[in-house]
Amino acid sequence: MKHTTRTLLAAALVLGVAAGPLALPAAASSPAATATATAQAPLSPEALEQVIAGLPSKDATAALVRVGGTEGAWQGSAGVHDLRTNRPADPGARFRAGSVTKVFTAAVVLQLAAEGRIDLDRPARAYLPELIPAAYGEVTVRQLLNHTHGIPAADLPGDTVEEWYARRFVQYDPRELVRMATSQPREFAPGTKQHYLNIGYTIAGLIVERVTGDSYEHQVAVRVLRPLGLRDTSFPGASPRIDGPHNHGYQVMTLDDGTTGLRDVSVWGATDGWAAGDLISTTADLERFTRALFAGRVVRGPLLEEMFTLPKVQDLTTGDPAAYSVGLSMKKLGGREVWGKTGGRWGYNAAIASTRHGERTLVYSVNSTDAKGKDMNRVALGLMVTTFGMPSK
């Protein structure tokens, strides 16, 4: 099956991962995988197994996968726990979920909106007047959540993975990140374009704390984690470690001897992500969360539609129609709308995805060797298109 660069780019952009042109993994180009890449094709465990076969590879050291829904279910794991012992990967391991955190943050904000404690159309400055300057006084809470706010990213030091690794234990205060971001000129007038960044969710987390008088982490716990029984999902706080059993994450970089190779990056602080990207979870917990969210058991009533409504603006960098809603992103795959969120922290790529009514769901953790690179990980891409199908034109 021949794929154009444009089609592959569309696949690589699925559900919020910015990526460049990428050749489809061999496993996803196989006859079995091609059969699953058609609209509403039957679930193929053989094709999914082929996608994660052969790990560890140059692209990933481990993969944990769960596919579910009314159309069938499959679970699989491959690769190693760590490259020192080469023990098999733990299928129940915890991992960094990265920007999947944003879905939890959005859900809590929408719950507070349903309670009348947050108004999505109210300026963020009304909740944080001492932090949000007048230059950004028109930015609303909804615009924070759907990335149409126009606030630039905080300008953190470092240009290379080696420089970022050297600063891996630096702790960032979310308020300082907001001050750094809002001290810069706006990227565009609020509500006129879309630019996917973390900063809107950092501000949203602070608004949750202001209106509840409680910590962001505790609010997520009492509103989402405990009601759903997500016992293996947590926030690391200031700790750079993944608490509990986990498969090690690795990153390609220049090593101490000047050669290029894999460095264990399992221990790396995530305070720069906070409410936008510091969650730790498991595939079992994220699958349970995805099912509950799409069934309307996390955000109830009309406000759930905020998560399935794309703003009618264009992306700032590509000019394409907006792909991000409140908390989620959408791509048409295999002839159907697939909604979800991907995430990347050094050593770990993760994703949740589902058709609108839960007919087919996907949760994965891929221990990518370049988790924040410009290209989408080949194993992750193979899992996405094998589960749901190729992007629709």
Side-chain angles (χ1 to χ4, degrees):
M1 184 176 181
K2 189 175 181 180
H3 306 295
T4 65
T5 299
R6 183 174 181 179
T7 300
L8 295 175
L9 177 57
L13 288 171
V14 67
L15 303 180
V17 172
L22 178 67
L24 198 63
S29 299
S30 68
T34 300
T36 67
T38 58
Q40 303 181 42
L43 185 66
S44 173
E46 295 80 9
L48 287 163
E49 288 173 358
Q50 191 173 3
V51 171
I52 62 174
L55 298 183
S57 68
K58 69 180 183 65
D59 300 304
T61 58
L64 315 177
V65 189
R66 284 176 176 258
V67 178
T70 58
E71 297 176 348
W74 179 82
Q75 297 177 27
S77 63
V80 297
H81 169 268
D82 66 273
L83 293 177
R84 182 180 62 84
T85 67
N86 283 322
R87 286 164 36 205
D90 178 357
R94 298 175 184 178
F95 51 84
R96 301 191 190 280
S99 286
V100 174
T101 309
K102 292 181 176 71
V103 191
F104 288 75
T105 304
V108 169
V109 172
L110 291 175
Q111 286 185 10
L112 290 166
E115 296 165 11
R117 302 170 76 179
I118 289 179
D119 183 343
L120 297 181
D121 293 315
R122 193 179 185 194
R125 190 168 191 257
Y127 298 97
L128 301 168
E130 79 290 355
L131 190 60
I132 307 298
Y136 290 100
E138 297 177 3
V139 173
T140 67
V141 176
R142 180 183 284 104
Q143 289 165 351
L144 294 175
L145 298 177
N146 66 17
H147 305 283
T148 61
H149 47 75
I151 303 173
D155 188 15
L156 299 179
D159 297 312
T160 67
V161 62
E162 292 81 10
E163 291 175 315
W164 296 320
Y165 178 76
R167 296 178 55 84
R168 66 194 182 280
F169 298 133
V170 173
Q171 295 186 19
Y172 298 93
D173 180 274
R175 292 165 184 79
E176 183 57 32
L177 293 176
V178 175
R179 292 188 186 98
M180 291 171 64
T182 57
S183 66
Q184 305 172 73
R186 68 185 188 185
E187 294 187 322
F188 49 83
T192 61
K193 294 186 184 298
Q194 186 173 76
H195 188 194
Y196 178 83
L197 292 172
N198 282 348
I199 192 64
Y201 279 75
T202 301
I203 298 172
L206 292 171
I207 291 175
V208 168
E209 294 193 332
R210 177 60 54 86
V211 302
T212 63
D214 192 9
S215 73
Y216 159 80
E217 294 86 351
H218 188 248
Q219 282 295 302
V220 177
V222 298
R223 290 174 174 274
V224 181
L225 306 188
R226 293 179 192 171
L228 296 182
L230 307 185
R231 296 180 179 84
D232 293 317
T233 301
S234 62
F235 296 92
S239 173
R241 300 184 179 276
I242 300 175
D243 205 15
H246 59 279
N247 300 317
H248 288 225
Y250 296 87
Q251 171 66 35
V252 176
M253 67 172 71
T254 302
L255 304 179
D256 295 338
D257 61 4
T259 64
T260 299
L262 291 176
R263 189 188 292 275
D264 190 326
V265 292
S266 309
V267 180
W268 192 315
T271 55
D272 60 313
W274 192 52
D278 70 346
L279 193 77
I280 291 171
S281 193
T282 64
T283 55
D285 272 10
L286 290 184
E287 183 179 59
R288 180 178 296 184
F289 171 71
T290 302
R291 289 177 177 175
L293 180 71
F294 280 66
R297 293 191 286 113
V298 179
V299 179
R300 295 175 171 84
L303 282 169
L304 178 59
E305 290 308 307
E306 294 284 345
M307 305 189 88
F308 301 102
T309 302
L310 298 175
K312 298 184 184 302
V313 297
Q314 293 179 321
D315 183 89
L316 175 66
T317 57
T318 67
D320 294 333
Y324 298 94
S325 61
V326 170
L328 299 176
S329 181
M330 189 277 287
K331 187 69 185 177
K332 288 189 177 180
L333 300 173
R336 296 188 289 187
E337 288 188 356
V338 177
W339 296 82
K341 190 71 192 73
T342 57
R345 293 294 303 184
W346 301 110
Y348 301 89
N349 281 133
I352 65 172
S354 178
T355 53
R356 177 64 181 85
H357 299 292
E359 299 91 347
R360 188 170 294 183
T361 65
L362 168 67
V363 173
Y364 67 68
S365 168
V366 173
N367 291 53
S368 170
T369 57
D370 192 16
K372 297 176 78 67
K374 66 182 182 66
D375 291 337
M376 184 176 182
N377 179 270
R378 296 168 66 89
V379 177
L381 175 56
L383 289 170
M384 196 69 73
V385 300
T386 301
T387 301
F388 295 109
M390 289 300 294
S392 306
K393 293 182 179 180

